Amino acid sequence: MSWLLGETDSWTLLTILGLACVTVVARSFFFILDKEWTLPTWAQRGLQYAPIAALSAVIVPEIVMLQGQMIHTLKDARLYAVAGGLAYFFWRRGQGQAVLGTILSGMVVYLPLHIGLGW
């Protein structure tokens, strides 16, 4: 068994075992209960914003930062691509295909500025 563990110390193994137990209990929590469990209304309302919050947490730093630093110039193609995508989204809002059109319009603005002008 020592070949399997290598030089892993006991604290690391204990941590992995503890996290595995917590994961199993958390995932099986809904099966353990005898009666149906529902979220409170405030939690259900809050979960409606979870996908947009997660997406924003990934995308916003990618737009406003370059190599871990805030961008200091307006000569960045990403800013204009976001402006173009937002303009399309608000123009077509409620008319269908807003997400695909937003991505395409952002890329139509981004690619010439990034590839053509080197921004």
Side-chain angles (χ1 to χ4, degrees), residues 2-84:
S2 64
W3 63 269
L4 180 63
L5 300 177
E7 296 192 21
T8 306
D9 62 355
S10 59
W11 283 110
T12 304
L13 293 175
L14 185 63
T15 302
I16 292 171
L17 183 63
L19 288 172
C21 290
V22 168
T23 302
V24 168
V25 169
R27 289 180 178 253
S28 63
F29 180 71
F30 300 103
F31 300 118
I32 295 172
L33 297 176
D34 290 338
K35 62 179 183 169
E36 186 175 328
W37 185 74
T38 58
L39 284 172
T41 56
W42 61 268
Q44 288 178 350
R45 270 194 328 245
L47 285 176
Q48 291 175 352
Y49 298 103
I52 193 70
L55 187 62
S56 298
V58 171
I59 296 211
V60 169
E62 196 60 38
I63 293 169
V64 299
M65 296 180 83
L66 182 64
Q67 297 179 352
Q69 302 291 324
M70 295 292 285
I71 57 174
H72 298 290
T73 180
L74 292 176
K75 196 174 178 182
D76 193 328
R78 296 174 297 177
L79 296 175
Y80 298 101
V82 168

